[in-house]
């Protein structure tokens, strides 16, 4: 009886470990996607500065820059 209970607990632990590994993999994929998004936003910001659609200002509230194609306004 004890052996069967131990086997059940071991299987349950294996299932929890598998679920935790799947969640970790999902979180890792999400982080990679966010890093790619951040890199793309950084590149867009560099191009916005280069095109004169954005400027750096000191001691002012941050500007919201619309980086959509064909837009040259800030909100």
């Amino acid at each position: 009886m004890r052996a069967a209970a131990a086997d059940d607990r071991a299987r349950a632990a294996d299932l929890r470990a598998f679920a935790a590994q799947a969640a970790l993999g999902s979180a890792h994929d999400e982080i990679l996607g966010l890093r790619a998004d951040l890199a793309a936003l950084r590149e867009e910001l560099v191009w916005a500065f280069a095109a004169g659609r954005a400027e750096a200002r000191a001691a002012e509230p941050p500007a919201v820059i619309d980086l959509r194609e064909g837009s040259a306004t800030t909100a």
Side-chain angles (χ1 to χ4, degrees), residues 7-23:
D7 285 343
D8 288 344
R9 287 193 301 270
R11 267 185 282 205
D14 283 343
L15 290 174
R16 287 192 308 272
F18 180 76
Q21 286 177 334

Side-chain angles (χ1 to χ4, degrees), residues 9-66:
R9 287 193 301 270
R11 267 185 282 205
D14 283 343
L15 290 174
R16 287 192 308 272
F18 180 76
Q21 286 177 334
L24 179 61
S26 178
H28 186 260
D29 291 344
E30 183 69 22
I31 289 170
L32 290 178
L34 290 171
R35 288 182 71 185
D37 290 347
L38 181 59
L41 287 172
R42 185 182 312 123
E43 183 175 347
E44 287 293 324
L45 186 57
V46 167
W47 283 107
F49 274 104
R53 296 186 323 203
E55 61 184 47
R57 296 181 209 146
E60 290 185 21
V64 177
I65 302 169
D66 187 355

